[in-house]
Amino acid sequence: MKRQIPIALVFVAGLLLVIQFFVPHPASEFFFTFATDWIIVIGILALPIGIFSLLRNTYMKGRSDSKERIYSIATFAGFFLMVVSGLPSGSREAGSLHMKFFQNLLVPAQATLFSMLAFYIASAAYRAFRMRTLLAGVLLITAFVVMLRLIPLPEPLSTWNSELVRWILAVPNMAAKRAIIIGVALGAITYSMKILLGIETAYMGRD
Amino acid sequence: MANGARAEERRWYDRLLVVDRRWIYLILALAVILPAIVPFDVSTGISTEVRRVYGFVDDLKPGEVVHIAIDYDPSTLAELHPMTEAILRQAFNRGARLIFTTLSQFGPAMAEEMITRVAAETGKKRGVDYTFLGYKPYPGITILAMGSNYRVPFPTDYYGTPVDSIPMMRDIHNFRNVKGVIALAGGNVADFWIQYGNAKYGVPLGLGVTGVMASDYYPYLQSGQIFGLIPGMKGAAEYELLAKRQGQGSRGMPYQMTTHLVILVFMVITNIAYLAQRAARKRAGEVRR
């Protein structure tokens, strides 16, 4: 029964939602709203588990490894700072303490982390982007041409390059992307069918 | 002794191929700093896909409703904020009424700051000219629910005001009441807008995405599932050029140009060195091919 009941629930819920997607009827929309509420409730229940897991792991890491302690303290400080500053009413208004933390800590931190990717990309371009094979050469030349559109070139080179980039994006790139998208979609349908029919049970912790 | 002899044998191409990565970082850092020290402008052509988004907003009549989805967080702010600001300013100036949502968890505060700033600069009022509904998790489900009724995922707006009591929202229930959606996305939320917003509800959809994401969305442009596409900071600069108002996109182009130029030069140098090394090894009989 521990196996049959979850499979039956998944089958019924999945089938109803598949039918609902294609039926534009008020009853169908009511069912969708009802199901959406359920998903939000499940999500809310998962949140405390996530918070507990984060805090517990951070605490354990800080306790067992002195080198990691400073990062654990930073995580705790950041967590409680944002939670406490976000509790008072009006914390969402511009100029509040919560918003100041957000604008002056989180925004620059995230932007900095993301912008550091540029350095890794430059390093990777230098160290790994080499014409080792014919296909690697094609990839290299294509990347070169596409990146070149950001560099102002004298006419008519600029127009030729723009047209070439447009063709690369709209023809070979699109053909490859389309094949990938269709392949992924077919795979997703197959996988979903396997879950609905109880063939795939990895979500229950089984292989 | 043998090591010393080998070190002496190292040619220019060998040295170039094993250059310390810190030199690469330093050169790139200098390339980023250069436009700040020596400012210059970069000319930008205008692509058809950006022109289409601009045309969509420019054709709006006063009172028409557009949904602007600000679905990115501060990590992609530098690329996507300039285009968002340009679109907001243009739409407000056209007299359109705007609905804002954000389906990225770090998005609300960032979006709120921009919306209130641009609205104040263009003299627009909250609840009358625009509504900011805020954030909800599970983008796919939220988009599906908004297609049914905005009040399902968002019974109140970002500030806690019930949606039914917002004057602007009285005659707006779902996607049928909006002229279109412009989704500015820094992740796969754009896919959800295509799959659910456009495919299921048929709402006209325009996208603004980061530079690296752009090539993923060209198939949807050709299939007509999206009417336009703004790719990264260059797209924002093109949009600003059309709007005849210089913003962060245009100002960011010199930085983007110098860094891309450095990466291109790196690619050329490393491949010249690689081919030279390969030719030398071939001559020495180390490589048979």
Side-chain angles (χ1 to χ4, degrees):
Chain A
M1 289 297 275
K2 275 169 76 179
R3 185 180 160 85
Q4 275 82 358
I5 289 174
I7 290 173
L9 282 172
V10 166
F11 179 75
V12 172
L15 199 66
L16 285 173
L17 280 166
V18 168
I19 294 167
Q20 181 279 328
F21 189 87
F22 296 100
V23 180
H25 188 270
S28 162
E29 290 192 358
F30 171 79
F31 173 70
F32 175 72
T33 310
F34 183 71
T36 308
D37 287 343
W38 267 96
I39 293 165
I40 291 167
V41 169
I42 292 166
I44 290 167
L45 290 173
L47 191 66
I49 299 168
I51 292 170
F52 174 75
S53 175
L54 169 79
L55 296 180
R56 186 176 173 275
N57 285 344
T58 307
Y59 173 73
M60 298 299 277
K61 202 175 267 185
R63 198 179 158 189
S64 61
D65 189 347
S66 58
K67 282 182 186 170
E68 290 284 328
R69 199 160 294 152
I70 185 71
Y71 303 113
S72 298
I73 292 167
T75 307
F76 274 111
F79 180 83
F80 287 110
L81 219 60
M82 293 309 279
V83 169
V84 172
S85 67
L87 285 176
S89 61
S91 61
R92 288 178 173 190
E93 299 293 337
S96 68
L97 187 66
H98 184 73
M99 291 299 279
K100 278 180 183 164
F101 282 140
F102 182 84
Q103 294 292 352
N104 301 310
L105 284 175
L106 193 80
V107 171
Q110 277 209 348
T112 305
L113 280 173
F114 196 73
S115 61
M116 281 172 73
L117 278 177
F119 290 88
Y120 294 113
I121 289 169
S123 175
Y126 190 86
R127 300 167 78 88
F129 218 167
R130 288 174 191 166
M131 217 183 292
R132 288 197 169 90
T133 61
L134 180 67
L135 284 177
V138 172
L139 183 68
L140 179 78
I141 291 163
T142 310
F144 191 89
V145 168
V146 172
M147 284 174 74
L148 205 62
R149 75 186 164 139
L150 291 165
I151 316 291
L153 298 169
E155 289 295 344
L157 280 177
S158 175
T159 310
W160 290 348
N161 182 256
S162 295
E163 290 303 316
L164 184 58
V165 170
R166 195 162 294 143
W167 180 83
I168 289 168
L169 289 172
V171 182
N173 164 69
M174 194 163 66
K177 286 284 176 195
R178 193 164 277 166
I180 293 167
I181 291 167
I182 292 169
V184 169
L186 290 173
I189 291 169
T190 313
Y191 191 70
S192 303
M193 289 296 288
K194 282 172 78 176
I195 291 173
L196 282 184
L197 298 172
I199 300 164
E200 174 61 57
T201 55
Y203 66 93
M204 287 195 287
R206 294 164 197 271
D207 292 328
Chain B
M1 194 67 187
N3 282 345
R6 189 167 288 176
E8 279 173 23
E9 282 171 23
R10 283 175 72 184
R11 302 293 182 102
W12 62 270
Y13 42 79
D14 295 320
R15 285 198 293 274
L16 272 177
L17 288 173
V18 292
V19 72
D20 191 323
R21 69 180 65 191
R22 283 172 294 188
W23 286 109
I24 296 169
Y25 296 160
L26 180 67
I27 293 166
L28 194 71
L30 290 173
V32 174
I33 295 164
L34 181 73
I37 299 167
V38 190
F40 59 91
D41 287 327
V42 176
S43 63
T44 313
I46 298 166
S47 56
T48 316
E49 47 271 26
V50 174
R51 202 182 287 277
R52 282 189 201 153
V53 181
Y54 179 84
F56 171 82
V57 180
D58 211 44
D59 288 343
L60 291 172
K61 294 178 182 67
E64 283 187 327
V65 182
V66 178
H67 181 141
I68 310 276
I70 303 177
D71 298 332
Y72 56 91
D73 53 31
S75 63
T76 47
L77 175 148
E79 269 200 285
L80 296 170
H81 240 32
M83 66 177 79
T84 309
E85 182 166 346
I87 292 168
L88 255 66
R89 206 174 284 282
Q90 187 196 7
F92 275 142
N93 286 334
R94 296 294 307 163
R97 292 182 294 161
L98 304 180
I99 298 171
F100 296 99
T101 55
T102 174
L103 303 179
S104 175
Q105 70 187 93
F106 291 117
M110 181 194 70
E112 203 263 349
E113 185 275 329
M114 167 169 284
I115 295 163
T116 48
R117 179 168 51 81
V118 178
E121 285 169 13
T122 48
K124 299 296 172 184
K125 284 184 182 166
R126 190 170 93 197
V128 178
D129 302 302
Y130 73 93
T131 300
F132 179 37
L133 294 174
Y135 165 76
K136 275 288 176 296
Y138 310 114
I141 293 162
T142 307
I143 293 165
L144 278 170
M146 284 192 289
S148 170
N149 194 326
Y150 278 107
R151 287 151 188 82
V152 173
F154 297 103
T156 62
D157 73 354
Y158 177 70
Y159 307 94
T161 312
V163 169
D164 281 327
S165 66
I166 296 171
M168 181 191 139
M169 294 300 287
R170 274 181 201 141
D171 57 340
I172 300 167
H173 301 283
N174 52 38
F175 293 148
R176 279 194 291 272
N177 307 118
V178 303
K179 184 89 174 164
V181 175
I182 300 177
L184 304 143
N188 68 342
V189 183
D191 295 321
F192 292 118
W193 276 111
I194 293 167
Q195 288 161 14
Y196 301 128
N198 176 266
K200 181 167 165 68
Y201 293 107
V203 65
L205 178 66
L207 286 183
V209 296
T210 61
V212 290
M213 287 167 63
S215 63
D216 290 347
Y217 294 96
Y218 274 83
Y220 302 111
L221 200 62
Q222 199 205 32
S223 66
Q225 285 169 281
I226 56 172
F227 61 76
L229 178 69
I230 310 176
M233 190 177 279
K234 186 172 187 290
E238 291 176 25
Y239 202 99
E240 287 168 4
L241 195 65
L242 283 164
K244 297 183 179 65
R245 186 189 165 97
Q246 200 185 39
Q248 289 295 329
S250 311
R251 282 195 284 272
M253 284 310 289
Y255 299 89
Q256 195 158 330
M257 194 209 86
T258 50
T259 48
H260 278 76
L261 191 62
V262 164
I263 293 172
L264 286 176
V265 171
F266 282 165
M267 281 161 63
V268 171
I269 290 173
T270 191
N271 276 285
I272 289 171
Y274 174 73
L275 292 174
Q277 187 190 57
R278 204 171 135 139
R281 283 185 180 174
K282 203 172 179 181
R283 278 197 300 275
E286 287 181 38
V287 177
R288 287 189 184 163
R289 280 190 298 147

